[in-house]
Amino acid sequence: MLTRKEKEVMDITGKDKICDNLCSLTEKVESVREKMVSSEKLLELSELFKVLGDHTRIRILYALFQSELCVCDLSEILGMTQSAISHQLRVLRSAKVVKYRREGKKVYYNLDDAHIFSLLDIGMIHVNE
Amino acid sequence: MLTRKEKEVMDITGKDKICDNLCSLTEKVESVREKMVSSEKLLELSELFKVLGDHTRIRILYALFQSELCVCDLSEILGMTQSAISHQLRVLRSAKVVKYRREGKKVYYNLDDAHIFSLLDIGMIHVNE
DNA sequence: TTAACATATGAACATATGCTCACACGTAAA
DNA sequence: TTTACGTGTGAGCATATGTTCATATGTTAA
């Protein structure tokens, strides 16, 4: 895409391309464009990673990786207020990253499925290199 | 962790715990706390996911999944300015998610390693359910 | 060297995000 | 029903983030 200034320059010079390789390699660019997953799907994917991309939420998930826990436990383990934890659990719930069950006054949380485990594992491997 | 108000209440009432289960299940909480990965490692992990957690960057990565591309190609494929793409590529470079090579005036980008492919794959599976 | 091209980057701006505070909601025991 | 407990949530604030604009840097050809 062109900036406003670039467009003005192109209007003046009469050029119709951004950079030289677009002439010879339009096929390559077109090929990639065709094989691109829909922007909506990629938006969903980025939303998933965005949910995982927070220190507090990752710590919550790693704690839940060890054991089912209630909000109060998580508050104690992470050393954060119940409110802060609860707000983040809401984000994790909305993204279907955790599931929960009520037992009396308490609400116990778990990781939602095996994919979450895999993502955490592979991510950790990458980080540890 | 306790809010300021909760602490005041506890000072007045003489309580020393947040919620009842902390008495009987301190072992559980302690066990999870011990097995928690270091907060620094989890911070690194969250930084990685944060980098993946943006629509523009995910689209860049999916384009690079198809083929090695220069900044100009990416600009054309995503329909965004060269500047915006370049700024995001810097983020991806810093996080070691992409690598690059210069060829004349152009700089070609690639995904850094197989882990990135795996993360994108598994994430996509989760999203598609 | 000069000109043109491809890319990188700093500043500024608007928007998004995470935590705190205060309080509402839901449950169970008195 | 009233009370206490555990959890959920809206508003407000400070900080973080993504894009644009203008310009700098690096490379090649004339």
Side-chain angles (χ1 to χ4, degrees):
Chain A
M1 204 189 87
L2 302 175
T3 61
R4 196 172 55 195
K5 192 171 185 180
E6 285 171 339
K7 282 177 188 164
E8 288 170 7
V9 170
M10 284 170 68
D11 283 343
I12 295 168
T13 60
K15 290 186 179 180
D16 63 345
K17 57 199 170 70
I18 298 175
C19 64
D20 290 345
N21 66 339
L22 282 180
C23 282
S24 53
L25 294 177
T26 297
E27 297 160 28
K28 182 180 171 188
V29 170
E30 274 309 311
S31 167
V32 172
R33 215 201 294 262
E34 283 169 20
K35 287 174 186 163
M36 281 291 281
V37 179
S38 81
S39 190
E40 290 76 27
K41 272 293 167 201
L42 292 177
L43 182 58
E44 282 184 61
L45 184 56
S46 67
E47 302 283 6
L48 171 62
F49 285 128
K50 187 175 292 181
V51 165
L52 302 181
D54 174 79
H55 193 197
T56 298
R57 288 193 292 267
I58 277 287
R59 288 192 299 155
I60 289 174
L61 295 176
Y62 249 86
L64 294 179
F65 184 93
Q66 308 296 332
S67 169
E68 177 181 67
L69 295 165
C70 68
V71 180
C72 181
D73 292 334
L74 286 165
S75 171
E76 183 69 10
I77 291 166
L78 301 194
M80 297 180 65
T81 64
Q82 173 269 320
S83 177
I85 299 293
S86 204
H87 273 293
Q88 296 299 5
L89 284 172
R90 187 190 193 199
V91 174
L92 293 169
R93 262 186 284 128
S94 304
K96 300 240 166 69
V97 171
V98 300
K99 54 189 175 184
Y100 62 99
R101 64 182 182 82
R102 184 175 268 279
E103 190 178 304
K105 297 181 212 163
K106 292 172 192 161
V107 178
Y108 287 94
Y109 283 85
N110 277 288
L111 297 188
D112 186 78
D113 66 12
H115 299 137
I116 308 304
F117 285 81
S118 300
L119 289 174
L120 294 177
D121 272 346
I122 295 171
M124 201 48 122
I125 292 170
H126 185 80
V127 165
N128 280 324
E129 280 182 357
Chain B
M1 206 190 86
L2 303 175
T3 62
R4 196 173 54 195
K5 191 171 186 180
E6 286 171 337
K7 282 176 188 165
E8 289 171 7
V9 171
M10 283 169 69
D11 282 343
I12 295 167
T13 58
K15 292 185 180 181
D16 62 345
K17 57 200 170 68
I18 298 176
C19 64
D20 291 344
N21 65 338
L22 282 181
C23 282
S24 54
L25 294 176
T26 298
E27 297 160 29
K28 181 180 170 188
V29 170
E30 274 310 310
S31 167
V32 172
R33 216 202 293 262
E34 282 169 21
K35 287 174 186 162
M36 281 292 281
V37 179
S38 82
S39 191
E40 291 75 28
K41 273 295 167 201
L42 291 177
L43 181 59
E44 281 184 61
L45 183 57
S46 68
E47 302 284 6
L48 171 62
F49 285 128
K50 188 176 292 182
V51 165
L52 302 181
D54 175 79
H55 193 197
T56 298
R57 289 193 291 267
I58 276 287
R59 287 193 298 154
I60 289 175
L61 295 176
Y62 249 87
L64 295 179
F65 184 94
Q66 308 295 332
S67 169
E68 177 181 67
L69 296 164
C70 68
V71 180
C72 181
D73 292 334
L74 286 166
S75 171
E76 183 69 10
I77 291 167
L78 301 195
M80 296 179 67
T81 64
Q82 173 270 320
S83 178
I85 299 292
S86 204
H87 274 293
Q88 296 297 6
L89 284 171
R90 188 188 194 202
V91 174
L92 293 168
R93 263 186 283 126
S94 304
K96 300 238 168 66
V97 171
V98 301
K99 53 189 175 185
Y100 62 99
R101 64 183 182 81
R102 184 173 269 280
E103 189 177 304
K105 296 180 213 164
K106 291 171 192 162
V107 178
Y108 287 93
Y109 283 85
N110 276 288
L111 297 188
D112 185 78
D113 68 11
H115 298 138
I116 308 303
F117 285 81
S118 300
L119 289 175
L120 295 177
D121 272 347
I122 296 171
M124 203 46 124
I125 292 170
H126 185 80
V127 164
N128 280 323
E129 281 180 355

